Amino acid sequence: MTTPSVRVFHKLEGLFSIYKPPGVHWKLVRDTVETNLLKGINAASPPAPRQRVQFLAEPTSVVAEGSNELTLSAASVPALAHHPLVSGPEFQHIGVGVGHRLDVFSSGVLVLGVGQANKALTDLYRSHVTRDYTLEGELGMATDNFSHTGRLIERTTYDHITRDKLERVLAMMQGSNQKALLTYSKVDMSTQEAYELAVKGELRPDGKSPPIMTGLRLLHFQPPRFTLEVQCLNETQRYLCRILHEVGLELRSTAVCKGVRRTRDGPFTLQHALTHQHWTSPDVIQAIRQYRSSRKASKAKHTQPGKDTGTASQRQEMVRLIHLFRVSVPTRPYLYVTARVFGRQTDHLC
């Protein structure tokens, strides 16, 4: 017979997302969530104590005078060995796993899993799902770690930078990354399969690949501050900070990262992320139910004909690139990837 605590734990076995604040390590966030969930599980009403039969001696007043016989009577008493005050809480540890992690500097959506859901969390982590980020940048300076927290090594001017110049640089960087995605997908560009995958927005790298941006656009520009929206695969927070450094170099200036905020991790968005005051068992159970229902709805949607994923502009750009590959490079396409670090440029043949 399952206890109320076990039933609550089974309801918590699933995937959900929380909002990680900046300046906090992801391990501290995970431990806080686990502590709150343990409190909720163990707060369930305990089951009725087990009973055991015990033979008790009759009071002396009941025994006849002058009799040396000991009279015993059977009685049902609670088994104290299973009492919560003796055995302690029923659950003392639950496995809470973390998906694609965020460093201390970053904030945003962080996916967690409880119990058996850690297997699905591992599959989500290894799958090629895209993640969205909002990057805050500042022109005019360069540091050793590409963020404003690093050691300052250079100051530059930025008066010559305009919004049009910045958007042209972003378009160039996005085009080179989309070509890299076509290369690492290992799909023959002359086949109908490549065209259909590009139309649906489902082109993904085959196996391991370096970080790749699938989308890049400018949200806000007010020198020296600017904000970018990035969609990418296999990224790290250092890679995201380096994107802003590369943008500054292409603009004949420098730039550092002032903030990294993840707005989407696969199917999880900021709308689903639980803030600190909602890291409780009832809110987590509700979030898991919403994710399961939305997943069923998305599966039903993808089974319908004519449904596709990705934005229209990204799909059109992919189709255009495939057409260019077919026309200009009938055989296997090659791509030169440029890496620039503090003004040094090297070309690598992929």
Side-chain angles (χ1 to χ4, degrees), residues 324-343:
L324 291 177
F325 269 114
R326 289 178 176 178
V327 173
S328 59
V329 187
T331 58
R332 179 184 175 183
Y334 292 91
L335 171 68
Y336 277 95
V337 180
T338 302
R340 299 182 58 183
V341 182
F342 300 118

Side-chain angles (χ1 to χ4, degrees), residues 233-251:
L233 297 162
N234 305 329
E235 79 291 341
T236 61
Q237 276 70 61
R238 182 175 177 84
Y239 166 77
L240 296 174
C241 293
R242 185 171 177 173
I243 290 176
L244 300 181
H245 171 74
E246 294 286 339
V247 170
L249 293 179
E250 294 293 340
L251 292 170

Side-chain angles (χ1 to χ4, degrees), residues 98-224:
V98 182
H100 198 80
R101 300 165 183 171
L102 291 169
D103 59 12
V104 178
F105 174 69
S106 307
S107 62
V109 179
L110 183 66
V111 182
L112 302 178
V114 178
Q116 296 295 329
N118 285 325
K119 297 180 181 179
L121 187 64
T122 303
D123 296 337
L124 178 66
Y125 180 77
R126 293 178 179 176
S127 62
H128 296 294
V129 295
T130 58
R131 284 172 282 270
D132 295 357
Y133 292 87
T134 301
L135 307 181
E136 301 286 342
E138 182 175 352
L139 298 167
M141 65 177 66
T143 60
D144 57 348
N145 63 354
F146 312 127
S147 71
H148 70 289
T149 60
R151 180 175 58 87
L152 181 65
I153 60 176
E154 185 181 5
R155 285 191 180 275
T156 56
T157 59
Y158 53 86
D159 297 336
H160 61 283
I161 299 176
T162 63
R163 186 183 185 95
D164 291 338
K165 291 181 179 179
L166 179 55
E167 288 181 342
R168 284 199 296 268
V169 168
L170 298 181
M172 178 194 65
M173 296 177 66
Q174 180 178 356
S176 63
N177 276 267
Q178 287 177 338
K179 291 180 181 178
L181 178 60
L182 293 176
T183 303
Y184 284 103
S185 63
K186 298 181 181 179
V187 178
D188 189 359
M189 297 297 110
S190 62
T191 61
Q192 181 68 17
E193 177 188 5
Y195 178 81
E196 293 177 354
L197 290 175
V199 170
K200 295 179 181 179
E202 296 179 355
L203 273 176
R204 294 293 183 269
D206 185 10
K208 293 184 179 180
S209 71
I212 298 176
M213 286 187 297
T214 60
L216 179 64
R217 71 187 183 101
L218 180 63
L219 297 180
H220 176 72
F221 179 70
Q222 187 176 1

Side-chain angles (χ1 to χ4, degrees), residues 16 74 264-265 276:
F16 62 98
R264 183 180 64 85
D265 188 352
H276 185 271

Side-chain angles (χ1 to χ4, degrees), residues 8-81:
V8 174
F9 172 73
H10 287 326
K11 293 180 182 179
L12 288 171
E13 287 188 306
L15 298 180
F16 62 98
S17 63
I18 62 173
Y19 185 86
K20 176 196 169 298
V24 183
H25 200 280
W26 64 266
K27 289 184 179 179
L28 180 60
V29 173
R30 180 198 60 187
D31 294 344
T32 303
V33 173
E34 181 178 356
T35 301
N36 293 344
L37 295 182
L38 283 173
K39 290 180 180 179
I41 292 174
N42 293 319
S45 57
R50 297 181 182 179
Q51 300 292 322
R52 66 185 182 89
V53 177
Q54 183 174 355
F55 292 94
L56 303 176
E58 292 287 349
T60 56
S61 59
V62 180
V63 181
E65 294 183 1
S67 175
N68 294 328
E69 295 180 357
L70 179 63
T71 305
L72 300 178
S73 62
S76 178
V77 297
L80 298 180

